[in-house]
Amino acid sequence: MSNLAAVKRLSISGMSCAGCVATVENALKSVPGVAEATVNFAEHTASVRGEVAVSMLISAVKQAGYDAAELRGIDDETEKEAAEFAHYRALLRKFAVAAAVGFPLFVAEPLDWLPHLATPPGYAFWSVTGLATLFVLVYSGGHFFRGAWKAFRAHNANMDTLIALGTGAAWVYSMLVVVFPGIVPSLARHAYFEAAAIIIALINLGQALEMRARGKTSEAIKRLIGLQPKTARVIRDGKELDIPISEVGLDETIRVRPGEKIPVDGVIIEGHSSVDESMLTGEPMPVEKKTGDEVVGATFNKSGSFLFQAKRIGADTALARIIEMVRRAQSSKPAIGRLADKISAVFVPSVLIIAVLTFLAWFNLGPDPRLSFSLVATMTVLIIACPCALGLATPISIMVGVGKAAEYGILIRNGEALQQAGRLTTIVLDKTGTVTEGRPTVTALVPAAGWDESKLLTMAASIETGSEHPLAEAIVSAARAKGIKLSAVNGFEAITGHGVSATMEGRKILFGNARLMAKHKIDLGNLPKRAEQLAAQAQTPMFLAIGDTVAGIVSVADPVKPDSKAAIARLHAIGLKVVMITGDNRATADAVAREVGVDEVMAEVLPGDKAEKVSGLQARGEIVGMVGDGINDAPALAQADVGYAIGTGTDVAIESADVTLMRGSLHSVADAIAISRATVRNIKQNLFGAFIYNVLGIPIAAGALYPFTGLLLNPIIAGAAMAMSSVTVVSNANRLRFLKTE
Amino acid sequence: MSNILINLSGLALIGLIVWWFWLYRPEALRAAGPQPIEIIVADGVYTPARIEVPAGKPVTLRFLRQDADPCAEKALFDGLGISADLPIGKPLDVVVTPPQPGEYEFTCQMRMYRGVLVAK
């Protein structure tokens, strides 16, 4: 395929009316090399076919007065990591410079090794020290002062404001003591250069440590990004070319050889192979793929070589959408974090007010030297207050928790779902495809008198060819396996919750459950007894009637997933009530329930009534999690407090569910709940820690203990506490990375 | 006398803090035309931090992050359900559509970087 056929997609911004569409299209078409350009107003995208550089397209759109960007692959993190590492090194350098000035002073002062201020050598020494500290404030602490000033001009106050005011006040006061000692009472003549320098040193060190710890919080995303191959082998003008994945256009033909990763999503147009999709679906068995089958980017081609046509590229691939979903969830906040948000919005100005009040209290009521005490207490209040720990408490735990879940193949939509999942009391499991495999097979044929098995199966399979029900598929494939030739039927009708009816060779045929037979007043003879026996073995018996005579039973069973019983035991172990819901008959449902050990069975529930059953449980005061497939059970999933869609990673269309379980096993539900509970617990620990730290730290810094114990906090200790508080919050969140769900 | 002066200054300072940080509403930058609005992310502040946009219409905000500190990494629009990961040194366009008139805050994860979209 020629590159002319390659489609580039752009995101267009600035289009406010349908008239803009023509302008943008004309601008794109005017670029040499463009064969075709179409703009989708609803999506704000443009698809351009032709041999042309994307940068040319973007500049043409810009010249027309709009803006454009390429829809491309997932950004790898290399550049970002390099920039962050450079920042980390810079913070360490700033720490080293500030520490080199501050620590010698801090050690020498109590040992009385430093010259006294009132002497000529003392004046010279302290003047030089003052200048060295100024250098520290500019070099190591310049970013705090810049940030504080910019924030101030924007009528905003942040952590920089507190640090800049605290250390700035210490330096100004100390310089006054050195240069104009006369204006300060003699008892208050003390310089605090070491405090200013060490606080700056410690906060830089704290930020560097926090940065390292934070790098680990986004490991899950990095691992997902790492799944994406870097290049693709496209066929252009009959030649095979290795190109970066970001340059792959829509509809391009791509060759994948054995042992290679599939670069983007598409459809096989030539060849066949087995593909390992375990990285996205958790299914360990490779899947056979042939012409016409879909393949998904980042999965692994095992045996054969094939050609496929790219259908989804860049940000549209399944992997990119999974990454986007995880990222979005990582940035979302549950209600539990809202209080902290409200507090941090008013935190810094409140601390500034407390600092002024502290100064006044010491100035009016404190012992001599009052000015020194006032300054030390004010400085300590400014330094100890840590809005960052409070602001970080919730998001950092969500980030690690959601990432951890992604490692288990669990995609959590947002922080709210995570918080709710931690509070569930009841789990409702849809039977088919959730508790059971969802791949039923024919297990028994019971012909009525005058009928034989083959004839019974032929009739049943013929009528079911028109049906899309999973049970129908089982019957049709059983007939095909036996080489049975199916007959044509007319007037096929599916009767929801009952079965199907049709006409064959002029006779009315009914195929379905006992309710369907009762509705049409079919005499079933002694067959219901046999049906009960089959149902008690967890099979689904269905009656076939021709005209008004019963022809027999076709029994189908959907085997229980091998790990369902163990997973349900885990749900019990964490204190949840487990309810199974199914449209199947009562006896079959009870048999499956006995096998896996659920607490309550809701059988013979019509698909449309599942949501109602869920709301019934909610009315009883239960907080309900519903597990089902994302399409048929969508209303029930939406009704539940938390909806878990069992899907596969390749089918991220299940975005409506609160939680998507990429792996089919019910263990994922127990894992998801365990991770949610651990994350909510972690958030609570962080919030509690951050609240207590500030609630106790600020009054102690202000000198609340002084009247009783004579204790006044050293501002350097306050600086150390403040620097460590954010590190502690991040480290506590990082503990979630080591969570074992079982 | 000096005691009274210091006390009065302290109280005046508190009044000033309340007014400057809580009561004063700085003028918002008004979005003009379809051009993206450039927002510099540096030194703990978004510049501009207060932006007037039309309600119900999509607006492109072009974030340019200059601060490598992880604090600056995310721009969250809580009220609009949008979050963006800002690359360092490269512009990132975020299209927002405030559904109705009102103020929509956007912040970093720790809420130290704070900006407001004023939808009219």
Side-chain angles (χ1 to χ4, degrees):
Chain A
M1 184 182 292
S2 142
N3 189 33
L4 274 172
V7 174
K8 312 276 186 208
R9 290 186 66 217
L10 302 175
S11 160
I12 311 287
S13 68
M15 291 193 297
S16 55
C17 59
C20 302
V21 171
T23 317
V24 174
E25 273 180 0
N26 289 337
L28 288 168
K29 282 175 186 162
S30 70
V31 178
V34 171
E36 193 188 327
T38 44
V39 170
N40 182 324
F41 181 65
E43 288 180 0
H44 281 238
T45 59
S47 297
V48 183
R49 201 180 286 271
E51 203 162 1
V52 60
V54 175
S55 56
M56 296 278 287
L57 300 173
I58 293 174
S59 68
V61 176
K62 282 186 175 173
Q63 273 176 14
Y66 302 88
D67 206 52
E70 185 186 9
L71 290 166
R72 60 198 183 99
I74 309 151
D75 274 334
D76 75 20
E77 303 264 292
T78 337
E79 271 181 55
K80 190 185 122 200
E81 274 174 17
E84 285 188 350
F85 186 67
H87 185 61
Y88 169 72
R89 296 274 299 265
L91 286 171
L92 285 184
R93 267 197 310 276
K94 288 174 178 177
F95 157 73
V97 168
V101 173
F103 275 102
L105 292 171
F106 179 61
V107 173
E109 194 165 23
L111 298 172
D112 218 9
W113 288 352
L114 304 177
H116 199 267
L117 248 174
T119 62
Y123 176 78
F125 172 81
W126 286 107
S127 299
V128 172
T129 303
L131 291 177
T133 309
L134 180 63
F135 173 71
V136 166
L137 294 185
V138 172
Y139 174 77
S140 303
H143 55 298
F144 301 129
F145 286 86
R146 262 197 312 279
W149 175 240
K150 280 197 168 182
F152 178 77
R153 279 181 30 190
H155 295 260
N156 195 356
N158 55 26
M159 195 192 73
D160 294 341
T161 312
L162 298 175
I163 298 166
L165 280 176
T167 56
W171 186 83
V172 170
Y173 177 81
S174 306
M175 280 314 277
L176 282 178
V177 168
V178 174
V179 182
F180 307 107
I183 64 164
V184 179
S186 59
L187 273 174
R189 283 176 202 156
H190 184 89
Y192 295 98
F193 293 125
E194 87 290 0
I198 293 178
I199 288 164
I200 294 285
L202 289 175
I203 292 169
N204 275 307
L205 178 66
Q207 286 190 341
L209 294 177
E210 184 192 320
M211 204 164 168
R212 263 196 99 101
R214 285 181 89 158
K216 296 195 180 94
T217 61
S218 52
E219 258 176 14
I221 286 283
K222 281 183 206 150
R223 214 165 298 156
L224 283 171
I225 292 171
L227 289 175
Q228 180 188 241
K230 299 239 179 304
T231 59
R233 171 157 299 205
V234 298
I235 300 180
R236 288 180 181 172
D237 300 327
K239 285 187 205 136
E240 290 191 10
L241 296 170
D242 278 326
I243 60 163
I245 193 161
S246 54
E247 287 176 21
V248 175
L250 283 170
D251 294 341
E252 284 209 89
T253 303
I254 299 165
R255 154 102 51 215
V256 184
R257 291 175 300 187
E260 283 180 348
K261 272 189 180 175
I262 297 166
V264 294
D265 300 359
V267 175
I268 297 187
I269 52 172
E270 190 187 308
H272 60 88
S273 181
S274 68
V275 175
D276 175 3
E277 296 186 334
S278 60
M279 57 292 293
L280 294 183
T281 64
E283 280 296 334
M285 292 297 288
V287 186
E288 289 303 317
K289 300 277 183 180
K290 55 184 191 308
T291 304
D293 286 346
E294 280 191 20
V295 286
V296 179
T299 58
F300 186 75
N301 176 33
K302 289 183 83 93
S303 51
S305 170
F306 61 86
L307 291 176
F308 80 100
Q309 199 170 35
K311 288 294 173 198
R312 286 196 301 251
I313 58 164
D316 295 337
T317 63
L319 178 68
R321 287 195 291 160
I322 288 172
I323 292 170
E324 182 51 32
M325 200 171 156
V326 174
R327 270 196 175 137
R328 216 182 307 145
Q330 282 186 325
S331 310
S332 70
K333 263 185 214 165
I336 191 174
R338 296 278 140 79
L339 179 65
D341 281 356
K342 283 200 178 114
I343 294 175
S344 59
V346 294
F347 187 86
V348 178
S350 305
V351 171
L352 295 180
I353 292 170
I354 295 171
V356 176
L357 292 173
T358 302
F359 185 93
L360 293 181
W362 279 95
F363 187 77
N364 292 314
L365 310 168
D368 279 328
R370 287 188 300 164
L371 197 58
S372 287
F373 276 119
S374 307
L375 178 84
V376 169
T378 305
M379 189 162 69
T380 314
V381 166
L382 291 171
I383 295 300
I384 204 161
C386 188
C388 294
L390 207 57
L392 263 183
T394 308
I396 206 79
S397 302
I398 292 282
M399 202 152 153
V400 184
V402 168
K404 184 78 196 171
E407 275 175 35
Y408 278 83
I410 300 161
L411 303 178
I412 297 176
R413 190 153 60 112
N414 55 35
E416 200 54 53
L418 198 131
Q419 189 184 347
Q420 283 286 21
R423 296 170 56 222
L424 295 178
T425 58
T426 298
I427 278 281
V428 178
L429 307 172
D430 176 50
K431 183 178 81 78
T432 308
T434 304
V435 178
T436 62
E437 295 279 10
R439 285 193 289 269
T441 51
V442 174
T443 44
L445 294 164
V446 185
W451 289 82
D452 62 41
E453 286 190 3
S454 168
K455 209 169 164 196
L456 182 64
L457 185 60
T458 308
M459 301 289 273
S462 300
I463 190 171
E464 287 285 32
T465 40
S467 170
E468 286 170 355
H469 198 278
L471 296 182
E473 276 177 43
I475 294 164
V476 174
S477 50
R480 290 219 169 103
K482 287 188 175 169
I484 290 173
K485 199 163 167 269
L486 305 181
S487 314
V489 296
N490 303 314
F492 176 86
E493 191 190 348
I495 309 147
T496 310
H498 291 79
V500 295
S501 72
T503 311
M504 192 199 242
E505 292 158 6
R507 287 182 301 174
K508 172 102 173 160
I509 304 177
L510 295 169
F511 186 50
N513 55 24
R515 267 182 293 166
L516 179 71
M517 299 298 139
K519 202 171 155 190
H520 291 269
K521 300 190 175 66
I522 308 286
D523 177 17
L524 297 175
N526 59 356
L527 283 177
K529 207 169 173 191
R530 181 74 184 110
E532 271 171 38
Q533 289 167 349
L534 292 166
Q537 295 160 18
Q539 298 187 25
T540 306
M542 285 176 289
F543 299 93
L544 182 81
I546 314 254
D548 46 15
T549 317
V550 69
I553 298 173
V554 177
S555 190
V556 174
D558 182 10
V560 168
K561 286 180 189 169
D563 55 3
S564 286
K565 192 177 176 183
I568 288 169
R570 276 182 68 198
L571 293 170
H572 280 140
I574 52 176
L576 292 169
K577 184 178 164 190
V578 183
V579 177
M580 191 178 80
I581 197 164
T582 177
D584 229 332
N585 67 70
R586 165 66 57 184
T588 311
D590 282 342
V592 174
R594 269 195 306 278
E595 192 178 337
V596 295
V598 300
D599 303 301
E600 192 181 326
V601 181
M602 295 176 173
E604 297 169 28
V605 179
L606 298 176
D609 295 342
K610 285 184 185 172
E612 207 173 290
K613 293 283 178 192
V614 169
S615 66
L617 286 166
Q618 287 167 324
R620 271 155 51 185
E622 306 282 354
I623 301 171
V624 182
M626 166 82 202
V627 189
D629 79 66
I631 302 145
N632 298 320
D633 300 326
L637 293 180
Q639 173 62 41
D641 296 284
V642 183
Y644 294 86
I646 287 217
T648 65
T650 58
D651 183 13
V652 283
I654 314 173
E655 277 170 10
S656 58
D658 296 311
V659 181
T660 301
L661 308 170
M662 296 201 284
R663 296 166 193 186
S665 165
L666 269 185
H667 276 295
S668 293
V669 180
D671 290 340
I673 292 170
I675 292 168
S676 303
R677 286 188 175 178
T679 308
V680 172
R681 203 163 45 238
N682 198 273
I683 292 171
K684 285 182 181 165
Q685 290 161 354
N686 276 347
L687 283 175
F688 180 78
F691 272 118
I692 288 295
Y693 169 82
N694 282 300
V695 165
L696 292 183
I698 294 173
I700 291 174
L705 295 179
Y706 187 83
F708 315 106
T709 61
L711 180 85
L712 187 59
L713 206 60
N714 184 325
I716 292 176
I717 305 287
M722 194 276 215
M724 290 317 292
S725 62
S726 308
V727 181
T728 310
V729 163
V730 178
S731 305
N732 186 47
N734 262 330
R735 288 191 313 120
L736 283 173
R737 291 193 302 128
F738 307 108
L739 178 77
K740 292 270 182 290
T741 53
E742 277 187 274
Chain B
M1 183 63 194
S2 67
N3 278 12
I4 295 171
L5 207 64
I6 285 182
N7 278 296
L8 285 178
S9 310
L11 293 175
L13 192 56
I14 290 173
L16 210 64
I17 291 169
V18 171
W19 175 72
W20 187 262
F21 294 114
W22 287 331
L23 302 180
Y24 183 83
R25 285 273 167 274
E27 205 169 300
L29 178 99
R30 196 164 294 177
Q35 297 299 329
I37 299 158
E38 208 160 88
I39 301 172
I40 309 281
V41 184
D43 298 320
V45 281
Y46 294 124
T47 314
R50 205 174 162 84
I51 302 158
E52 192 182 306
V53 295
K57 285 187 183 162
V59 176
T60 305
L61 304 177
R62 177 163 296 162
F63 284 91
L64 188 61
R65 173 184 169 198
Q66 293 169 351
D67 184 353
D69 195 283
C71 298
E73 185 176 1
K74 288 189 188 282
L76 310 177
F77 295 76
D78 261 358
L80 299 170
I82 296 173
S83 77
D85 280 22
L86 309 180
I88 303 166
K90 273 193 281 187
L92 181 91
D93 287 356
V94 179
V95 180
V96 294
T97 313
Q100 53 220 358
E103 294 202 346
Y104 297 85
E105 203 182 25
F106 56 102
T107 65
C108 70
Q109 269 189 324
M110 295 198 295
R111 304 180 73 84
M112 290 291 100
Y113 275 94
R114 289 219 304 269
V116 179
L117 291 180
V118 185
K120 285 191 173 167

